[in-house]
Short mmCIF file of all heavy atoms in Angstrom, two decimals:
data_model
loop_
_atom_site.label_atom_id
_atom_site.label_comp_id
_atom_site.label_asym_id
_atom_site.label_seq_id
_atom_site.Cartn_x
_atom_site.Cartn_y
_atom_site.Cartn_z
N MET A 1 -15.64 2.36 -6.29
CA MET A 1 -14.91 1.33 -7.01
C MET A 1 -13.59 1.03 -6.30
O MET A 1 -12.88 1.95 -5.95
CB MET A 1 -14.64 1.85 -8.45
CG MET A 1 -14.45 0.74 -9.45
SD MET A 1 -14.36 1.40 -11.14
CE MET A 1 -12.61 1.55 -11.30
N PRO A 2 -13.31 -0.27 -6.16
CA PRO A 2 -12.03 -0.57 -5.46
C PRO A 2 -10.84 -0.19 -6.27
O PRO A 2 -10.84 -0.26 -7.49
CB PRO A 2 -12.10 -2.10 -5.23
CG PRO A 2 -13.13 -2.60 -6.18
CD PRO A 2 -14.03 -1.46 -6.55
N ILE A 3 -9.82 0.21 -5.59
CA ILE A 3 -8.56 0.55 -6.24
C ILE A 3 -7.92 -0.73 -6.72
O ILE A 3 -7.78 -1.70 -5.93
CB ILE A 3 -7.65 1.33 -5.26
CG1 ILE A 3 -8.31 2.63 -4.83
CG2 ILE A 3 -6.31 1.60 -5.92
CD1 ILE A 3 -7.59 3.37 -3.74
N PRO A 4 -7.52 -0.84 -7.98
CA PRO A 4 -6.94 -2.09 -8.54
C PRO A 4 -5.51 -2.34 -8.12
O PRO A 4 -4.62 -2.20 -8.91
CB PRO A 4 -7.08 -1.92 -10.01
CG PRO A 4 -6.98 -0.43 -10.23
CD PRO A 4 -7.56 0.22 -9.00
N LEU A 5 -5.35 -2.73 -6.86
CA LEU A 5 -4.00 -2.94 -6.39
C LEU A 5 -3.50 -4.36 -6.74
O LEU A 5 -4.28 -5.31 -6.72
CB LEU A 5 -3.97 -2.83 -4.86
CG LEU A 5 -4.08 -1.39 -4.35
CD1 LEU A 5 -4.45 -1.40 -2.89
CD2 LEU A 5 -2.80 -0.63 -4.56
N GLN A 6 -2.23 -4.43 -7.06
CA GLN A 6 -1.57 -5.74 -7.39
C GLN A 6 -0.36 -5.93 -6.51
O GLN A 6 0.27 -4.97 -6.08
CB GLN A 6 -1.15 -5.74 -8.86
CG GLN A 6 -2.33 -5.79 -9.84
CD GLN A 6 -1.86 -5.76 -11.26
OE1 GLN A 6 -0.67 -5.89 -11.55
NE2 GLN A 6 -2.77 -5.55 -12.19
N ILE A 7 -0.02 -7.20 -6.40
CA ILE A 7 1.22 -7.55 -5.68
C ILE A 7 2.40 -6.84 -6.38
O ILE A 7 2.48 -6.88 -7.61
CB ILE A 7 1.38 -9.08 -5.59
CG1 ILE A 7 0.31 -9.63 -4.67
CG2 ILE A 7 2.81 -9.46 -5.10
CD1 ILE A 7 0.15 -11.16 -4.76
N GLY A 8 3.25 -6.27 -5.60
CA GLY A 8 4.43 -5.60 -6.18
C GLY A 8 4.22 -4.08 -6.34
O GLY A 8 5.19 -3.39 -6.58
N ASP A 9 2.98 -3.62 -6.27
CA ASP A 9 2.72 -2.18 -6.37
C ASP A 9 3.36 -1.48 -5.16
O ASP A 9 3.36 -2.01 -4.04
CB ASP A 9 1.21 -1.87 -6.31
CG ASP A 9 0.50 -2.22 -7.61
OD1 ASP A 9 1.23 -2.61 -8.58
OD2 ASP A 9 -0.71 -2.15 -7.64
N ILE A 10 3.89 -0.28 -5.45
CA ILE A 10 4.45 0.51 -4.36
C ILE A 10 3.47 1.66 -4.07
O ILE A 10 3.11 2.36 -4.99
CB ILE A 10 5.86 1.03 -4.74
CG1 ILE A 10 6.79 -0.16 -4.90
CG2 ILE A 10 6.38 1.99 -3.65
CD1 ILE A 10 8.06 0.21 -5.66
N ILE A 11 3.07 1.75 -2.84
CA ILE A 11 2.11 2.79 -2.52
C ILE A 11 2.73 3.82 -1.60
O ILE A 11 3.56 3.50 -0.74
CB ILE A 11 0.81 2.24 -1.92
CG1 ILE A 11 1.11 1.41 -0.65
CG2 ILE A 11 0.05 1.41 -2.91
CD1 ILE A 11 -0.11 1.20 0.21
N GLU A 12 2.28 5.03 -1.79
CA GLU A 12 2.66 6.08 -0.86
C GLU A 12 1.42 6.42 -0.04
O GLU A 12 0.34 6.56 -0.59
CB GLU A 12 3.11 7.34 -1.68
CG GLU A 12 3.71 8.40 -0.81
CD GLU A 12 4.00 9.67 -1.61
OE1 GLU A 12 4.57 9.58 -2.71
OE2 GLU A 12 3.65 10.77 -1.14
N THR A 13 1.61 6.47 1.25
CA THR A 13 0.46 6.72 2.13
C THR A 13 0.47 8.17 2.68
O THR A 13 1.51 8.81 2.70
CB THR A 13 0.48 5.76 3.33
OG1 THR A 13 1.73 5.79 3.96
CG2 THR A 13 0.21 4.33 2.88
N LYS A 14 -0.69 8.62 3.11
CA LYS A 14 -0.83 9.93 3.69
C LYS A 14 -0.16 9.99 5.06
O LYS A 14 0.45 10.98 5.45
CB LYS A 14 -2.28 10.32 3.83
CG LYS A 14 -2.98 10.53 2.49
CD LYS A 14 -4.48 10.62 2.64
CE LYS A 14 -5.16 10.55 1.28
NZ LYS A 14 -6.53 10.12 1.39
N LYS A 15 -0.30 8.86 5.78
CA LYS A 15 0.22 8.79 7.12
C LYS A 15 1.55 8.02 7.07
O LYS A 15 1.63 7.00 6.36
CB LYS A 15 -0.76 8.03 7.97
CG LYS A 15 -0.89 8.61 9.41
CD LYS A 15 -1.90 7.81 10.19
CE LYS A 15 -1.28 7.25 11.44
NZ LYS A 15 -2.25 6.44 12.18
N GLN A 16 2.52 8.49 7.77
CA GLN A 16 3.79 7.74 7.72
C GLN A 16 3.89 6.67 8.78
O GLN A 16 3.22 6.74 9.82
CB GLN A 16 5.00 8.73 7.85
CG GLN A 16 5.06 9.45 9.18
CD GLN A 16 6.24 10.40 9.21
OE1 GLN A 16 6.66 10.93 8.19
NE2 GLN A 16 6.74 10.67 10.42
N HIS A 17 4.70 5.67 8.47
CA HIS A 17 4.98 4.59 9.42
C HIS A 17 5.83 5.17 10.57
O HIS A 17 6.51 6.18 10.37
CB HIS A 17 5.75 3.50 8.66
CG HIS A 17 5.77 2.18 9.35
ND1 HIS A 17 6.91 1.55 9.68
CD2 HIS A 17 4.73 1.38 9.75
CE1 HIS A 17 6.61 0.40 10.30
NE2 HIS A 17 5.30 0.29 10.33
N PRO A 18 5.80 4.54 11.76
CA PRO A 18 6.60 5.05 12.87
C PRO A 18 8.09 5.25 12.50
O PRO A 18 8.74 6.10 13.11
CB PRO A 18 6.44 4.01 13.95
CG PRO A 18 5.11 3.41 13.69
CD PRO A 18 4.91 3.45 12.22
N CYS A 19 8.57 4.50 11.54
CA CYS A 19 10.00 4.64 11.16
C CYS A 19 10.23 5.88 10.28
O CYS A 19 11.37 6.22 10.03
CB CYS A 19 10.47 3.38 10.44
SG CYS A 19 9.85 3.22 8.75
N GLY A 20 9.15 6.52 9.85
CA GLY A 20 9.33 7.78 9.05
C GLY A 20 9.04 7.57 7.56
O GLY A 20 8.92 8.51 6.84
N SER A 21 8.94 6.32 7.12
CA SER A 21 8.71 6.02 5.68
C SER A 21 7.22 6.19 5.35
O SER A 21 6.36 5.84 6.15
CB SER A 21 9.21 4.64 5.37
OG SER A 21 8.90 4.30 4.03
N LYS A 22 6.97 6.57 4.11
CA LYS A 22 5.57 6.68 3.63
C LYS A 22 5.42 5.76 2.44
O LYS A 22 4.42 5.81 1.71
CB LYS A 22 5.29 8.11 3.18
CG LYS A 22 4.99 9.06 4.34
CD LYS A 22 4.59 10.39 3.82
CE LYS A 22 4.11 11.29 4.97
NZ LYS A 22 3.74 12.59 4.44
N SER A 23 6.38 4.90 2.20
CA SER A 23 6.34 4.04 1.05
C SER A 23 6.26 2.57 1.49
O SER A 23 7.01 2.12 2.36
CB SER A 23 7.66 4.28 0.24
OG SER A 23 7.72 3.37 -0.84
N PHE A 24 5.34 1.86 0.86
CA PHE A 24 5.08 0.44 1.20
C PHE A 24 4.91 -0.36 -0.09
O PHE A 24 4.43 0.13 -1.07
CB PHE A 24 3.79 0.32 2.02
CG PHE A 24 3.82 1.07 3.36
CD1 PHE A 24 3.51 2.41 3.41
CD2 PHE A 24 4.14 0.41 4.50
CE1 PHE A 24 3.52 3.07 4.61
CE2 PHE A 24 4.11 1.07 5.74
CZ PHE A 24 3.84 2.42 5.78
N THR A 25 5.33 -1.63 0.01
CA THR A 25 5.17 -2.50 -1.16
C THR A 25 4.08 -3.53 -0.82
O THR A 25 4.11 -4.15 0.26
CB THR A 25 6.49 -3.27 -1.43
OG1 THR A 25 7.54 -2.32 -1.62
CG2 THR A 25 6.38 -4.14 -2.67
N ILE A 26 3.16 -3.74 -1.78
CA ILE A 26 2.07 -4.71 -1.59
C ILE A 26 2.65 -6.11 -1.73
O ILE A 26 3.26 -6.47 -2.73
CB ILE A 26 0.95 -4.49 -2.64
CG1 ILE A 26 0.36 -3.08 -2.54
CG2 ILE A 26 -0.15 -5.55 -2.50
CD1 ILE A 26 -0.41 -2.76 -1.28
N MET A 27 2.40 -6.94 -0.70
CA MET A 27 2.88 -8.28 -0.68
C MET A 27 1.81 -9.31 -0.95
O MET A 27 2.02 -10.41 -1.43
CB MET A 27 3.52 -8.64 0.69
CG MET A 27 4.55 -7.66 1.16
SD MET A 27 5.99 -7.65 0.11
CE MET A 27 6.72 -9.18 0.65
N ARG A 28 0.58 -8.97 -0.54
CA ARG A 28 -0.55 -9.90 -0.68
C ARG A 28 -1.83 -9.11 -0.79
O ARG A 28 -2.00 -8.17 -0.07
CB ARG A 28 -0.56 -10.84 0.52
CG ARG A 28 -1.41 -12.04 0.33
CD ARG A 28 -1.06 -13.07 1.35
NE ARG A 28 -2.18 -13.98 1.50
CZ ARG A 28 -2.14 -15.03 2.31
NH1 ARG A 28 -1.11 -15.29 2.99
NH2 ARG A 28 -3.16 -15.81 2.38
N THR A 29 -2.73 -9.55 -1.69
CA THR A 29 -4.02 -8.87 -1.84
C THR A 29 -5.15 -9.79 -1.41
O THR A 29 -4.95 -11.00 -1.27
CB THR A 29 -4.22 -8.43 -3.30
OG1 THR A 29 -4.22 -9.61 -4.10
CG2 THR A 29 -3.16 -7.47 -3.78
N GLY A 30 -6.34 -9.26 -1.22
CA GLY A 30 -7.49 -10.03 -0.82
C GLY A 30 -8.37 -9.21 0.05
O GLY A 30 -8.43 -8.00 -0.08
N MET A 31 -9.06 -9.84 0.97
CA MET A 31 -9.88 -9.09 1.94
C MET A 31 -8.99 -8.23 2.79
O MET A 31 -9.29 -7.08 3.08
CB MET A 31 -10.65 -10.07 2.87
CG MET A 31 -11.75 -10.83 2.15
SD MET A 31 -13.13 -9.77 1.70
CE MET A 31 -13.82 -9.51 3.36
N ASP A 32 -7.91 -8.84 3.25
CA ASP A 32 -6.91 -8.09 3.98
C ASP A 32 -5.65 -8.02 3.12
O ASP A 32 -5.38 -8.93 2.34
CB ASP A 32 -6.54 -8.78 5.29
CG ASP A 32 -7.69 -8.68 6.25
OD1 ASP A 32 -8.37 -7.63 6.29
OD2 ASP A 32 -7.93 -9.66 7.01
N PHE A 33 -4.94 -6.94 3.25
CA PHE A 33 -3.72 -6.77 2.46
C PHE A 33 -2.53 -6.91 3.40
O PHE A 33 -2.56 -6.55 4.54
CB PHE A 33 -3.69 -5.38 1.87
CG PHE A 33 -4.44 -5.26 0.57
CD1 PHE A 33 -5.82 -5.35 0.62
CD2 PHE A 33 -3.80 -5.08 -0.63
CE1 PHE A 33 -6.56 -5.29 -0.59
CE2 PHE A 33 -4.53 -5.01 -1.77
CZ PHE A 33 -5.90 -5.10 -1.79
N ARG A 34 -1.44 -7.41 2.82
CA ARG A 34 -0.19 -7.39 3.56
C ARG A 34 0.75 -6.51 2.79
O ARG A 34 0.88 -6.62 1.53
CB ARG A 34 0.39 -8.79 3.72
CG ARG A 34 1.53 -8.75 4.72
CD ARG A 34 2.01 -10.15 5.04
NE ARG A 34 2.71 -10.67 3.88
CZ ARG A 34 3.09 -11.93 3.73
NH1 ARG A 34 2.79 -12.83 4.64
NH2 ARG A 34 3.70 -12.33 2.63
N MET A 35 1.38 -5.58 3.48
CA MET A 35 2.31 -4.70 2.80
C MET A 35 3.56 -4.58 3.65
O MET A 35 3.51 -4.70 4.88
CB MET A 35 1.69 -3.33 2.52
CG MET A 35 1.18 -2.59 3.71
SD MET A 35 0.32 -1.11 3.18
CE MET A 35 0.16 -0.26 4.79
N LYS A 36 4.66 -4.31 2.95
CA LYS A 36 5.94 -4.20 3.64
C LYS A 36 6.40 -2.74 3.60
O LYS A 36 6.38 -2.10 2.56
CB LYS A 36 6.97 -5.10 2.96
CG LYS A 36 8.26 -5.22 3.70
CD LYS A 36 9.24 -6.05 2.93
CE LYS A 36 9.68 -5.34 1.70
NZ LYS A 36 10.68 -5.92 0.89
N CYS A 37 6.78 -2.27 4.76
CA CYS A 37 7.29 -0.91 4.84
C CYS A 37 8.63 -0.88 4.11
O CYS A 37 9.52 -1.71 4.41
CB CYS A 37 7.48 -0.50 6.29
SG CYS A 37 8.26 1.13 6.46
N ASP A 38 8.82 0.08 3.22
CA ASP A 38 10.11 0.18 2.47
C ASP A 38 11.21 0.84 3.33
O ASP A 38 12.35 0.80 2.93
CB ASP A 38 9.86 0.96 1.17
CG ASP A 38 9.00 0.20 0.21
OD1 ASP A 38 8.97 -1.06 0.27
OD2 ASP A 38 8.26 0.84 -0.60
N GLY A 39 10.80 1.36 4.47
CA GLY A 39 11.82 1.96 5.35
C GLY A 39 12.46 0.95 6.26
O GLY A 39 13.65 0.74 6.25
N CYS A 40 11.60 0.26 7.03
CA CYS A 40 12.14 -0.68 8.07
C CYS A 40 11.88 -2.13 7.71
O CYS A 40 12.22 -3.02 8.50
CB CYS A 40 11.52 -0.31 9.43
SG CYS A 40 9.75 -0.55 9.52
N GLN A 41 11.27 -2.41 6.55
CA GLN A 41 11.02 -3.77 6.08
C GLN A 41 9.97 -4.55 6.90
O GLN A 41 9.80 -5.73 6.75
CB GLN A 41 12.30 -4.60 6.03
CG GLN A 41 13.47 -3.93 5.32
CD GLN A 41 13.18 -3.67 3.84
OE1 GLN A 41 12.75 -4.54 3.12
NE2 GLN A 41 13.34 -2.45 3.43
N LYS A 42 9.30 -3.86 7.81
CA LYS A 42 8.32 -4.54 8.63
C LYS A 42 7.06 -4.85 7.82
O LYS A 42 6.66 -4.00 7.00
CB LYS A 42 7.97 -3.67 9.83
CG LYS A 42 7.30 -4.47 10.94
CD LYS A 42 6.98 -3.61 12.14
CE LYS A 42 6.02 -4.41 13.00
NZ LYS A 42 5.49 -3.67 14.09
N GLU A 43 6.44 -6.02 8.00
CA GLU A 43 5.24 -6.34 7.25
C GLU A 43 3.99 -6.06 8.13
O GLU A 43 3.99 -6.33 9.32
CB GLU A 43 5.29 -7.80 6.81
CG GLU A 43 6.36 -8.00 5.77
CD GLU A 43 6.33 -9.37 5.12
OE1 GLU A 43 5.42 -10.16 5.43
OE2 GLU A 43 7.23 -9.64 4.32
N ILE A 44 2.99 -5.51 7.48
CA ILE A 44 1.79 -5.07 8.17
C ILE A 44 0.58 -5.66 7.47
O ILE A 44 0.51 -5.71 6.26
CB ILE A 44 1.66 -3.53 8.08
CG1 ILE A 44 2.91 -2.86 8.66
CG2 ILE A 44 0.40 -3.01 8.76
CD1 ILE A 44 3.15 -1.51 8.02
N TRP A 45 -0.36 -6.15 8.26
CA TRP A 45 -1.68 -6.54 7.72
C TRP A 45 -2.64 -5.35 7.84
O TRP A 45 -2.67 -4.70 8.89
CB TRP A 45 -2.25 -7.72 8.50
CG TRP A 45 -1.60 -9.01 8.17
CD1 TRP A 45 -0.59 -9.61 8.89
CD2 TRP A 45 -1.87 -9.88 7.05
NE1 TRP A 45 -0.25 -10.79 8.28
CE2 TRP A 45 -1.02 -10.98 7.18
CE3 TRP A 45 -2.78 -9.83 5.99
CZ2 TRP A 45 -1.03 -12.05 6.23
CZ3 TRP A 45 -2.79 -10.85 5.08
CH2 TRP A 45 -1.93 -11.95 5.19
N ILE A 46 -3.40 -5.11 6.79
CA ILE A 46 -4.35 -3.98 6.84
C ILE A 46 -5.60 -4.35 6.04
O ILE A 46 -5.49 -5.02 5.02
CB ILE A 46 -3.66 -2.69 6.35
CG1 ILE A 46 -4.57 -1.47 6.49
CG2 ILE A 46 -3.17 -2.80 4.93
CD1 ILE A 46 -3.88 -0.14 6.40
N GLU A 47 -6.75 -3.89 6.53
CA GLU A 47 -7.98 -4.16 5.81
C GLU A 47 -8.05 -3.23 4.58
O GLU A 47 -7.62 -2.09 4.64
CB GLU A 47 -9.19 -3.84 6.71
CG GLU A 47 -9.30 -4.77 7.89
CD GLU A 47 -10.07 -4.13 9.04
OE1 GLU A 47 -11.02 -3.37 8.77
OE2 GLU A 47 -9.67 -4.35 10.19
N ARG A 48 -8.66 -3.75 3.50
CA ARG A 48 -8.74 -2.98 2.25
C ARG A 48 -9.32 -1.58 2.41
O ARG A 48 -8.72 -0.61 1.91
CB ARG A 48 -9.49 -3.77 1.18
CG ARG A 48 -9.57 -3.04 -0.13
CD ARG A 48 -10.44 -3.75 -1.16
NE ARG A 48 -9.62 -4.51 -2.09
CZ ARG A 48 -9.09 -4.00 -3.22
NH1 ARG A 48 -9.27 -2.73 -3.49
NH2 ARG A 48 -8.40 -4.73 -4.04
N PRO A 49 -10.49 -1.44 3.07
CA PRO A 49 -11.07 -0.07 3.19
C PRO A 49 -10.13 0.91 3.85
O PRO A 49 -10.05 2.05 3.51
CB PRO A 49 -12.34 -0.28 4.00
CG PRO A 49 -12.62 -1.76 3.93
CD PRO A 49 -11.34 -2.46 3.72
N LYS A 50 -9.44 0.42 4.90
CA LYS A 50 -8.52 1.23 5.65
C LYS A 50 -7.35 1.66 4.74
O LYS A 50 -6.94 2.81 4.73
CB LYS A 50 -7.96 0.43 6.84
CG LYS A 50 -8.42 0.95 8.20
CD LYS A 50 -7.61 0.23 9.24
CE LYS A 50 -8.46 0.04 10.49
NZ LYS A 50 -7.77 -0.77 11.52
N LEU A 51 -6.86 0.67 4.01
CA LEU A 51 -5.70 0.93 3.17
C LEU A 51 -6.07 1.94 2.07
O LEU A 51 -5.34 2.88 1.81
CB LEU A 51 -5.24 -0.38 2.54
CG LEU A 51 -4.11 -0.30 1.51
CD1 LEU A 51 -2.85 0.27 2.13
CD2 LEU A 51 -3.82 -1.65 0.89
N GLU A 52 -7.28 1.73 1.46
CA GLU A 52 -7.66 2.63 0.35
C GLU A 52 -7.75 4.09 0.81
O GLU A 52 -7.46 5.02 0.05
CB GLU A 52 -9.00 2.17 -0.23
CG GLU A 52 -8.82 0.84 -0.99
CD GLU A 52 -10.03 0.43 -1.82
OE1 GLU A 52 -11.09 1.06 -1.57
OE2 GLU A 52 -9.91 -0.46 -2.63
N LYS A 53 -8.17 4.29 2.03
CA LYS A 53 -8.29 5.63 2.58
C LYS A 53 -6.94 6.28 2.74
O LYS A 53 -6.82 7.51 2.72
CB LYS A 53 -9.04 5.63 3.89
CG LYS A 53 -10.52 5.92 3.72
CD LYS A 53 -11.22 5.95 5.05
CE LYS A 53 -12.30 4.86 5.12
NZ LYS A 53 -12.71 4.55 6.45
N ARG A 54 -5.93 5.49 2.97
CA ARG A 54 -4.59 6.00 3.26
C ARG A 54 -3.75 6.28 2.02
O ARG A 54 -2.70 6.93 2.14
CB ARG A 54 -3.83 5.04 4.16
CG ARG A 54 -4.37 4.97 5.55
CD ARG A 54 -3.39 4.23 6.41
NE ARG A 54 -3.98 3.82 7.66
CZ ARG A 54 -3.35 3.13 8.59
NH1 ARG A 54 -2.11 2.75 8.38
NH2 ARG A 54 -3.97 2.77 9.70
N ILE A 55 -4.15 5.70 0.91
CA ILE A 55 -3.27 5.77 -0.29
C ILE A 55 -3.26 7.16 -0.92
O ILE A 55 -4.27 7.79 -1.11
CB ILE A 55 -3.73 4.73 -1.35
CG1 ILE A 55 -3.52 3.34 -0.82
CG2 ILE A 55 -2.95 4.95 -2.66
CD1 ILE A 55 -3.97 2.25 -1.77
N LYS A 56 -2.04 7.62 -1.20
CA LYS A 56 -1.89 8.90 -1.85
C LYS A 56 -1.47 8.70 -3.29
O LYS A 56 -1.85 9.42 -4.20
CB LYS A 56 -0.85 9.70 -1.09
CG LYS A 56 -0.98 11.17 -1.26
CD LYS A 56 -0.07 11.85 -0.27
CE LYS A 56 0.73 12.95 -0.94
NZ LYS A 56 1.83 13.41 -0.12
N ARG A 57 -0.62 7.68 -3.49
CA ARG A 57 -0.06 7.44 -4.82
C ARG A 57 0.28 5.98 -4.99
O ARG A 57 0.73 5.32 -4.03
CB ARG A 57 1.22 8.30 -4.99
CG ARG A 57 1.62 8.49 -6.46
CD ARG A 57 3.09 8.80 -6.60
NE ARG A 57 3.64 9.71 -5.61
CZ ARG A 57 3.75 11.03 -5.80
NH1 ARG A 57 3.37 11.57 -6.94
NH2 ARG A 57 4.29 11.74 -4.87
N ILE A 58 0.11 5.46 -6.20
CA ILE A 58 0.48 4.08 -6.48
C ILE A 58 1.53 4.10 -7.62
O ILE A 58 1.32 4.78 -8.62
CB ILE A 58 -0.71 3.19 -6.94
CG1 ILE A 58 -1.84 3.26 -5.92
CG2 ILE A 58 -0.29 1.77 -7.18
CD1 ILE A 58 -3.13 2.61 -6.40
N THR A 59 2.59 3.36 -7.42
CA THR A 59 3.58 3.22 -8.48
C THR A 59 3.69 1.77 -8.88
O THR A 59 3.80 0.89 -8.05
CB THR A 59 4.99 3.73 -7.97
OG1 THR A 59 4.84 5.04 -7.46
CG2 THR A 59 6.00 3.72 -9.10
N ARG A 60 3.56 1.55 -10.18
CA ARG A 60 3.65 0.21 -10.73
C ARG A 60 4.67 0.19 -11.89
O ARG A 60 4.54 0.99 -12.80
CB ARG A 60 2.29 -0.32 -11.23
CG ARG A 60 2.32 -1.75 -11.76
CD ARG A 60 0.96 -2.21 -12.16
NE ARG A 60 0.06 -2.23 -11.01
CZ ARG A 60 -1.29 -2.26 -11.07
NH1 ARG A 60 -1.84 -2.26 -12.25
NH2 ARG A 60 -2.03 -2.27 -10.00
N ASP A 61 5.61 -0.69 -11.80
CA ASP A 61 6.67 -0.76 -12.85
C ASP A 61 7.32 0.62 -13.08
O ASP A 61 7.58 0.99 -14.20
CB ASP A 61 6.13 -1.32 -14.14
CG ASP A 61 5.56 -2.71 -13.98
OD1 ASP A 61 6.10 -3.47 -13.11
OD2 ASP A 61 4.58 -3.04 -14.69
N GLY A 62 7.48 1.37 -12.00
CA GLY A 62 8.15 2.64 -12.12
C GLY A 62 7.30 3.82 -12.65
O GLY A 62 7.78 4.91 -12.83
N GLU A 63 5.99 3.56 -12.85
CA GLU A 63 5.13 4.59 -13.36
C GLU A 63 3.98 4.84 -12.37
O GLU A 63 3.47 3.89 -11.75
CB GLU A 63 4.53 4.22 -14.71
CG GLU A 63 5.57 4.36 -15.80
CD GLU A 63 5.00 3.90 -17.14
OE1 GLU A 63 3.77 4.13 -17.36
OE2 GLU A 63 5.72 3.33 -17.93
N ASN A 64 3.57 6.10 -12.27
CA ASN A 64 2.41 6.40 -11.41
C ASN A 64 1.16 5.85 -12.01
O ASN A 64 0.92 5.99 -13.22
CB ASN A 64 2.29 7.90 -11.20
CG ASN A 64 3.33 8.46 -10.27
OD1 ASN A 64 3.95 7.72 -9.53
ND2 ASN A 64 3.56 9.74 -10.35
N LEU A 65 0.34 5.26 -11.19
CA LEU A 65 -0.91 4.65 -11.64
C LEU A 65 -2.04 5.62 -11.35
O LEU A 65 -2.15 6.15 -10.25
CB LEU A 65 -1.10 3.35 -10.89
CG LEU A 65 -2.14 2.37 -11.47
CD1 LEU A 65 -1.56 1.72 -12.69
CD2 LEU A 65 -2.43 1.32 -10.42
N GLN A 66 -2.92 5.79 -12.31
CA GLN A 66 -4.06 6.66 -12.10
C GLN A 66 -5.21 5.81 -11.54
O GLN A 66 -5.40 4.71 -11.99
CB GLN A 66 -4.53 7.29 -13.43
CG GLN A 66 -3.47 8.12 -14.09
CD GLN A 66 -3.02 9.29 -13.27
OE1 GLN A 66 -3.82 9.97 -12.66
NE2 GLN A 66 -1.73 9.52 -13.21
N PHE A 67 -5.88 6.32 -10.55
CA PHE A 67 -7.01 5.59 -9.97
C PHE A 67 -8.07 6.55 -9.48
O PHE A 67 -7.83 7.73 -9.45
CB PHE A 67 -6.60 4.66 -8.85
CG PHE A 67 -6.03 5.34 -7.66
CD1 PHE A 67 -6.84 5.71 -6.60
CD2 PHE A 67 -4.66 5.63 -7.58
CE1 PHE A 67 -6.34 6.34 -5.49
CE2 PHE A 67 -4.16 6.32 -6.46
CZ PHE A 67 -4.97 6.60 -5.41
ZN1 ZN B 101 8.63 1.38 8.74
#
């Protein structure tokens, strides 16, 4: 089942970005996702299956989302 990600969700990934941050904000959803690194503000395009494998935690409106 796909993870119900929405724009504005903050995700924590297993792998860190080169800048050291593990926190990203979802900017766009669809076949490919665009997310912004919360450390260096860089925007990244990523395919959904790849992204889903990397997600460790989702935060929405300040609360952890169960998935
Ligand atoms: Zn970064």
Side-chain angles (χ1 to χ4, degrees):
M1 205 172 94
I3 298 172
L5 286 164
Q6 290 179 11
I7 292 167
D9 286 353
I10 296 164
I11 56 163
E12 189 186 313
T13 53
K14 291 169 191 157
K15 219 178 124 182
Q16 65 181 29
H17 197 238
C19 73
S21 175
K22 283 185 173 179
S23 175
F24 298 84
T25 304
I26 301 293
M27 307 295 286
R28 195 163 158 177
T29 61
M31 290 289 288
D32 291 322
F33 277 69
R34 193 172 70 191
M35 58 186 192
K36 188 181 70 174
C37 175
D38 293 332
C40 65
Q41 310 297 310
K42 198 179 167 188
E43 292 188 5
I44 302 152
W45 283 99
I46 185 165
E47 294 155 38
R48 181 184 260 275
K50 249 189 212 174
L51 175 61
E52 290 190 346
K53 265 183 240 162
R54 290 193 195 178
I55 294 177
K56 206 170 133 194
R57 198 204 320 263
I58 305 171
T59 306
R60 182 176 298 162
D61 300 328
E63 287 177 33
N64 286 341
L65 196 74
Q66 301 299 317
F67 65 91

